[in-house]
Structure formats: structure tokens, C-alpha cells
Amino acid sequence: MAINFKGRCLLSLNDLSSDEVLLLLEGARVWKQQFYAGNKPPVLKGKTLGMIFQKPSTRTRVSFEVAMHQLGGQALYLGANDLQLKRGETIADTARVLSRYVDALIARVYAHQDVVDLAQYATIPVINALSDYSHPCQGLADLFTILEKKGTFKDIKITYLGDGNNVVHSLMFGIAKVGGYLCVATPKGYEPNAQVVALANAEAQKTKARIEIVTDPIKAVREADVIYTDVWTSMGQEAEHDQRIQIFKPYQINAQLTAQAKSDALIMHCLPAHRGEEITDEVIDGPNSIVWEQAENRLHLQKALLVQLMR
Ligand code: CP
Ligand code: NVA
């Protein structure tokens, strides 16, 4: 497939066409195979990735850094508090300057507009490493993990339970691009962003995907092949934590709830997990949990992405 990614940005999974998503999933498969064969071809030798983080990260930071290292390039961690951004230098000026030093940027931000501004003023590719709106690298790795385990997106039901947040937004865009069935169950008032629902549904019409938004967690998990959750309190929402744990209780993935799904329903979580809140130990540590492979797949998927954008 000849697709030109060079110089592009990835701010939302909806920026990609269905063919581009499928190409990245295939790339992840190949890079994973290479990894297990012990091959680390230095295809990004001499390239530098700048990594701006306004919020903490374990998986995203380490998987991008290791990916660059294994591809022969290097990564620079740029904590937002250590940059002149902290003292009022604008995002636009930061983007203009960093574009003259590094070959691509990833940015984890509170407000999505920050990564949009960065992309607007940078002259190099910019990748959203999580914003309050979306988490496209997570969404792509999730699709890859589902495809790896199930072999297809057709005729399987993926259920997401919990908060209508950045992670489910990317999952919705992703499923809409590849043509699967995603049932999202949230409490009233915590549904995914209405604009994301409309955009995902518009894409879903083209691929015959089905995106359902419901409130009943028990009905949502019935017949599910995959059950996915994320934290109830995202970074930046800490003040709402006590209220949220009360409201989201019926959406906890525990043995009682998973008993309503297919007996082999896979359990996914983007991590970090708040054990005892959105998921119980018995489920996350249980035989159907694929959360560690899901986390590993961030590395393989991001290699595919970096090579497409930077080579
Ligand atoms: N899933 C994810 O993005 O994890 P980190 O916050 O650790 O990067
Ligand atoms: N929704 C979570 C995802 C963390 C990877 C957050 O934004 O904090």
C-alpha cells in the first residue's frame, strides 16, 4: 500500500484514513515479529524525537523512548515544567524553536488545543501522546491487540465500561475506521463527547461499523468478546475523585459483571489501573486479562508510526 505519511501529524485517530490505520496495524505486526527475531534495524539513525510531557507517564514515555533507541535514533524527555513554557514562552515559539533541533515531537498535554497549536506552528510531525480529548497511540495499540487476539474486527462485540473520556474517544474513532462493533456504557452525564460520537458515526457509516452508547453495564457486557475499561478519574480530574467513585460503582469490572459476558471475553485496560475501583484484582490478574500484552503493543505500534512519520 503506498501511503505518504511523511511530515504528517497525528492529533486524533480520526485524522487517519481506514487504509492508513490498517497500514499501521500491519506495521506493528511486522515490528513485533522483528523484535522477537532479535532484529533492531537502525532505520531512524541520526533522528531525534522530542517528548514534551505536561503530565506523568510510564508506558507512553518509556515505549516511545525505547522505540527510538531500538530504531537507532534518540529521544529527549522534555518535562513541561523544565521548559521556558513554564515561564510563559508561547507554545507557538516553542514549536518553532524545537522544529529546528529535533525531527518529530510527541506531546502529552492537559488541553487538546495545546497539541493542536504545537502542530500548527511546528514544521515537523507532532504526535498527540494523550490530551483531554484523545489518546490516538493508545487507540491504535488497542486495535492491534484486538486484531492479534481475535484475527478480525467483524462479528465481535467490544464493550467499553466507565468514563466517556480520551481513551474511549480514540477507541470509537478506531473501531469506526476498521468496521467493528463497539458498545460504550457510561453513567448519565459521563457519555463520550457528542462531537466525537457524531464524527465516529459518520465514519462508521462508511465501514459498516456500529458504535452504541448505552447506560446499562449489565446489558452492555452481554455477549461481549472484549471488555475494556479505563480509570474513572483521569489526570486533571483529581478533585472529582470521591464523587466519581460513587457514580461509577456499577461499572466496575468484577467477577459478577464479567460472568454476564462470553466466558472467554478478553479483558483490556490502557493502564494505569486503579485496582479496586474500575477493575478488581481477580479480573485484571485473571486468565482472560491481556493488559500486559496490550501495554507491550504500544512499543511495536509506535515503531510503525515513528517510521512512517520520520523516515
Ligand atoms: N496508557 C498510558 O498512556 O499509560 P501512561 O500514562 O503510563 O503513559
Ligand atoms: N483517561 C486516562 C488515561 C491514562 C493513560 C487519563 O487521561 O488520565
Side-chain angles (χ1 to χ4, degrees), residues 150 152-159 181 217-227 253-267 283 287-289:
K150 293 288 179 189
T152 177
F153 297 108
K154 309 274 175 239
D155 306 319
I156 61 163
K157 178 178 180 183
I158 302 162
T159 295
Y181 171 24
I218 297 170
K219 276 194 202 150
V221 297
R222 275 196 196 127
E223 295 302 312
D225 297 280
V226 176
I227 305 175
I253 304 194
N254 52 38
Q256 206 185 345
L257 194 60
T258 52
Q260 305 292 324
K262 289 186 180 164
S263 59
D264 62 350
L266 299 173
I267 305 299
V283 175
N288 293 1
S289 170

Side-chain angles (χ1 to χ4, degrees), residues 55 59-60 108 130-132 135 138 160 163 165-167 230-231 233-236 270-272 298:
K55 304 179 190 178
R59 281 142 288 269
T60 306
R108 168 166 289 194
L130 182 149
S131 67
D132 58 356
H135 196 1
Q138 182 68 54
Y160 173 93
D163 190 22
N165 63 14
N166 45 8
V167 166
D230 182 17
V231 293
T233 306
S234 284
M235 290 178 275
C270 61
L271 305 176
R298 296 285 305 274

Side-chain angles (χ1 to χ4, degrees), residues 30-80:
V30 171
W31 280 109
K32 188 167 187 175
Q33 222 171 38
Q34 292 281 326
F35 179 84
Y36 281 101
N39 297 332
K40 291 175 184 145
V43 296
L44 295 184
K45 189 165 185 288
K47 303 274 186 189
T48 303
L49 177 71
M51 310 196 299
I52 300 177
F53 280 86
Q54 291 180 357
K55 304 179 190 178
S57 168
T58 297
R59 281 142 288 269
T60 306
R61 175 184 175 176
V62 177
S63 58
F64 267 109
E65 192 162 337
V66 169
M68 280 306 289
H69 179 73
Q70 292 180 359
L71 292 167
Q74 61 166 336
L76 283 180
Y77 175 78
L78 305 167

